[in-house]
Amino acid sequence: MSDRRKSIQMLGALALMRPLLSMAQGGNPQMVKLLVGFPPGATGDRIARAVAPLLANNLQTSVIVDNKAGAGGQLAIEYAKAAPSDGSVLLQTIGSSMVIYPHTYRNLRYDPVHDFVPLGTVATAPIAFVSAANLQLKTVKDAFTLIRQDPKLAFYGSPASGSVFHFSGVLLARAMGCEFTHVAYRGSAPALADVLSGQVPFAFLAPSDILEHHRAGKLRILAVTGQTRATQLPDVPTFPEAGFKDLVNREWFSYFINRHATPETVARYSAALRKVLTDRELRTTLLAAGLEIGDGDPATLAATMQNEYGQWKQIVKDIGFVAD
């Protein structure tokens, strides 16, 4: 067994133990910065701003969202790595940053296993495969047929190179057995704009960014990568239902704290996060945005990291992609 796999398993064991530790009543910092590695208005930012006031109420301290956008979320993670151990800094980040980037960046300046302790997942999202409205497609197989017939349309956009969105397209291309060229954007907004204008025929995007456009007929979601159909898209099939059984993945939005935080701080914050997720209004907000509710459990997050870390390592190796 590799050292990294042992480390991840140990991380899971620690995550199971920490919630059982006695919770300290004092020592809360006067203010907590909730770091988000993406700009205001992005899905992660909207989640953080919905969670922050509830977290503040449960921790009985101020919680402010601090957007440190850049490098696909890496800047916020680096800042969290160097944060004090007093719990004054929390990190909300995406799964791609923790289980994909370690395999695509040769000079990554953080280690997701050794530098952080998982607190729990707030929300998850399948990846939506969309087509421009002017193509008038209805199914993934329609897209497959069109791409084979007209190679000029064999390209797709995603919010970032080396992300789960990018690699979803790579996996689909492998399943189709044809060329499907990736076009990387800096964020969802410009990729979405080009799909809406018809300049880009296809894209892989988060449902939370495109729900209203899909409902208005301005683009069409052909399939999602989840194990089950998305709550807000009951009429949209999953890729396995569309005949692509291996195209199952998701993005997740999870909370971490610096590894130097005390067990008592970890337990207190983890408990607060689980309580936040019982809030009915928050759950309604997340579901309405096309997200699925996380369980806020550190052990579940540790297990997810362990499983997906190995899966993406093999996928990236097979693809041969390097980000830097």
Side-chain angles (χ1 to χ4, degrees):
M1 183 182 295
S2 69
D3 291 341
R4 178 165 292 278
R5 186 171 180 82
K6 290 178 181 178
S7 296
I8 296 177
Q9 289 181 337
M10 184 177 295
L11 186 67
L14 289 172
L16 282 168
M17 294 170 60
R18 282 188 170 108
L20 301 178
L21 296 173
S22 60
M23 293 174 61
Q25 298 302 312
N28 270 351
Q30 291 184 346
M31 183 183 71
V32 174
K33 286 186 178 181
L34 176 53
L35 300 182
V36 179
F38 298 91
T43 299
D45 172 73
R46 297 199 301 270
I47 293 172
R49 292 185 187 279
V51 168
L54 299 172
L55 198 57
N57 183 59
N58 282 282
L59 291 174
Q60 297 187 332
T61 192
S62 298
V63 177
I64 63 168
V65 176
D66 188 358
N67 298 89
K68 293 195 178 296
Q74 292 181 51
L75 294 184
I77 299 174
E78 291 170 12
Y79 189 97
K81 174 185 174 180
S85 61
D86 60 358
S88 59
V89 174
L90 293 179
L91 171 68
Q92 178 193 285
T93 192
I94 56 174
S96 293
S97 301
M98 307 304 265
V99 298
I100 296 181
Y101 290 0
H103 310 306
T104 59
Y105 286 90
R106 293 169 296 189
N107 300 305
L108 200 66
R109 290 185 286 187
Y110 63 87
D111 186 312
V113 176
H114 294 120
D115 292 336
F116 299 98
V117 175
L119 295 177
T121 296
V122 170
T124 65
I127 310 303
F129 178 47
V130 308
S131 64
N134 65 304
L135 296 181
Q136 298 184 339
L137 304 177
K138 293 184 178 180
T139 68
V140 178
K141 289 186 177 179
D142 288 343
F144 183 16
T145 299
L146 181 64
I147 289 167
R148 282 194 171 278
Q149 290 177 343
D150 189 352
K152 295 192 302 295
L153 296 175
F155 63 98
Y156 69 98
S158 87
S161 181
S163 67
V164 64
F165 301 94
H166 169 193
F167 290 146
S168 292
V170 174
L171 294 174
L172 179 59
R174 290 168 59 182
M176 292 190 299
C178 63
E179 291 294 323
F180 200 29
T181 302
H182 176 239
V183 179
Y185 288 83
R186 291 189 175 184
S188 297
L192 173 59
D194 277 0
V195 173
L196 291 174
S197 68
Q199 293 186 60
V200 172
F202 302 100
F204 281 88
L205 296 164
S208 54
D209 292 324
I210 56 177
L211 269 179
E212 296 309 315
H213 299 296
H214 170 74
R215 290 166 177 163
K218 296 179 179 179
L219 53 72
R220 180 180 288 273
I221 302 177
L222 301 178
V224 295
T225 62
Q227 290 277 9
T228 59
R229 294 193 178 195
T231 302
Q232 295 295 320
L233 295 166
D235 298 328
V236 175
T238 64
F239 270 101
E241 289 177 314
F244 299 86
K245 63 182 180 65
D246 295 326
L247 220 165
V248 177
N249 54 52
R250 60 180 181 166
E251 187 63 281
W252 35 267
F253 301 85
S254 301
Y255 281 57
F256 295 83
I257 196 168
N258 185 289
R259 70 181 179 92
H260 297 297
T262 66
E264 291 79 12
T265 296
V266 172
R268 183 167 65 251
Y269 283 29
S270 182
L273 188 62
R274 288 197 301 275
K275 192 170 182 180
V276 162
L277 288 171
T278 66
D279 184 85
R280 184 175 300 178
E281 185 175 346
L282 175 68
R283 295 174 71 88
T284 299
T285 298
L286 295 178
L287 288 172
L291 299 162
E292 305 297 333
I293 310 298
D295 64 5
D297 181 63
T300 301
L301 177 52
T304 297
M305 289 179 66
Q306 177 180 336
N307 293 335
E308 295 191 9
Y309 190 97
Q311 291 171 2
W312 284 112
K313 180 179 181 179
Q314 187 59 51
I315 290 171
V316 171
K317 181 180 179 181
D318 291 345
I319 295 171
F321 178 83
V322 177
D324 58 3

